[in-house]
Amino acid sequence: MVLVGFSRNKDTLESVRTAVELAGGLGIKGGETVLIRPNANTADPAPGSTNPEVLRGAIREVKKYNPGKIIVAEKSMSSLDTEEVLKKLGLWQVAEAEGVDEILTFDHMKREHVEPRKAYSWPRGLDVPEFLKSIDYTIALPIIKTHWTATFTMGLKSQISITSDRDRRQLPHGQGMDVIFGHMIAESNLIYKPDFYISDATKCFVTNGPNVGTLREPGIVLASPDVIANDAAGLALLKTLGTVPRIQMNSVWAQPQIKRAVELGLGVGSKEEITVKSSGIEEINEIIANLA
């Protein structure tokens, strides 16, 4: 049974703390090197990118485990300089103020070519930063929101941040491409999968996305060690907010990203394997009902 924690508090730091606690806590061991990956694909503020206070909360939670090293790293879209994006969003400044050991970008890192056996949608394989071999524990900070061509972008799609520009050029942007896009997103998690997800639903796009759309402000943080549970719960939340027909009218388990991820064994395979715990979420029963 996998835990998903939902928390709503006026203090975002408290929301992060409570959500992580409800999800069973982080599995970090003292002395480990921990990577935290915010979402900063563009310089658009939350929910275009991770709320800086969610990053601050994640760093503070990691510090409780006495890690050997904390690294914050991300890669923005191919045409942008990631360091500039992180600074424009205030994410770089938060990482500095919280005293992380390193702030890095994946822009120019040395990479190795990998071809996972079941990544059928990536016939040319992927190029992965060699740096990841030095990481003991990874936390992703995805945003709960819709995406104009992938339908949604959450924990599974956050994996695209470590891929190279060459890899990203293979992604099939365009209407009606959600199935192949979904398969590619799920399969990208075969190369390197985070250990924990702290998902930002302080603000969400419920249409369009990822950088513009209809805005809702549920003020929620989700947390889970399981990427499928995380994304299924995020989709269930979007349904309570009122979202695009492809999400609203379908089971979360029918979404191409989720369906392919289940086939690959990347996490849970059904609602029955998920236990939801919450704090301050009046609509939690509706969210749980939408996990079907």
Side-chain angles (χ1 to χ4, degrees):
M1 191 65 68
V2 168
L3 294 172
V4 175
F6 280 80
S7 179
R8 177 189 282 130
N9 191 290
K10 291 181 180 179
D11 181 352
T12 300
L13 298 179
E14 180 62 21
S15 290
V16 171
R17 186 198 68 76
T18 303
V20 170
E21 180 181 289
L22 291 171
L26 303 175
I28 300 167
K29 298 176 182 177
E32 288 190 324
T33 296
V34 179
L35 170 63
I36 303 175
R37 284 180 11 209
N39 182 311
N41 189 53
T42 65
D44 297 280
S49 302
T50 299
N51 180 342
E53 290 304 293
V54 172
L55 173 60
R56 191 188 306 277
I59 294 169
R60 292 186 181 183
E61 289 305 304
V62 170
K63 285 182 176 179
K64 294 176 181 179
Y65 292 82
N66 298 312
K69 193 174 190 179
I70 303 176
I71 301 170
V72 171
E74 165 65 329
K75 185 184 188 316
S76 301
M77 64 185 295
S78 304
S79 60
L80 300 176
D81 179 278
T82 304
E83 182 173 337
E84 291 181 2
V85 170
L86 290 170
K87 288 179 176 177
K88 184 172 182 180
L89 292 169
L91 293 166
W92 189 286
Q93 293 87 332
V94 164
E96 281 188 328
E98 293 300 317
V100 304
D101 298 281
E102 287 187 271
I103 309 171
L104 303 174
T105 76
F106 298 126
D107 289 351
H108 306 295
M109 284 187 175
K110 185 178 180 182
R111 294 174 177 268
E112 63 175 336
H113 186 70
V114 296
E115 296 184 8
R117 184 172 58 86
K118 295 183 179 180
Y120 306 128
S121 306
W122 296 90
R124 291 184 287 174
L126 300 106
D127 296 322
V128 185
E130 290 187 354
F131 149 83
L132 293 175
K133 292 179 179 179
S134 69
I135 302 301
D136 299 306
Y137 193 96
T138 297
I139 300 170
L141 308 181
I143 306 157
I144 304 300
K145 60 182 176 178
T146 51
H147 189 286
W148 74 281
T149 181
T151 305
F152 65 94
T153 170
M154 297 182 195
L156 286 163
K157 193 173 184 301
S158 71
Q159 182 68 0
I160 298 299
S161 74
I162 69 169
T163 61
S164 69
D165 291 341
R166 182 193 73 90
D167 299 333
R168 294 182 185 207
R169 286 193 291 270
Q170 297 181 60
L171 294 170
H173 290 287
Q175 293 291 348
M177 305 301 290
D178 56 309
V179 174
I180 182 60
F181 206 157
H183 289 184
M184 294 180 81
I185 288 168
E187 291 170 13
S188 71
N189 286 262
L190 292 169
I191 57 176
Y192 184 88
K193 189 160 67 73
D195 300 282
F196 202 89
Y197 301 82
I198 301 174
S199 293
D200 180 2
T202 54
K203 296 180 180 180
C204 303
F205 288 135
V206 295
T207 68
N208 300 316
N211 58 324
V212 295
T214 304
L215 180 66
R216 297 285 186 271
E217 299 189 38
I220 292 174
V221 173
L222 282 69
S224 182
D226 186 290
V227 67
I228 297 177
N230 177 87
D231 286 18
L235 286 166
L237 172 59
L238 287 182
K239 284 188 171 188
T240 69
L241 300 173
T243 186
V244 295
R246 277 190 293 178
I247 296 175
Q248 197 74 42
M249 306 304 293
N250 293 296
S251 164
V252 301
W253 304 99
Q255 293 297 333
Q257 291 183 46
I258 300 287
K259 191 173 181 180
R260 182 63 177 140
V262 169
E263 292 172 354
L264 293 169
L266 294 174
V268 298
S270 68
K271 176 182 179 180
E272 288 68 35
E273 297 175 59
I274 300 172
T275 296
V276 174
K277 295 189 175 183
S278 68
S279 174
I281 314 293
E282 297 85 355
E283 67 273 36
I284 193 62
N285 288 334
E286 183 181 357
I287 293 172
I288 292 172
N290 285 335
L291 271 172

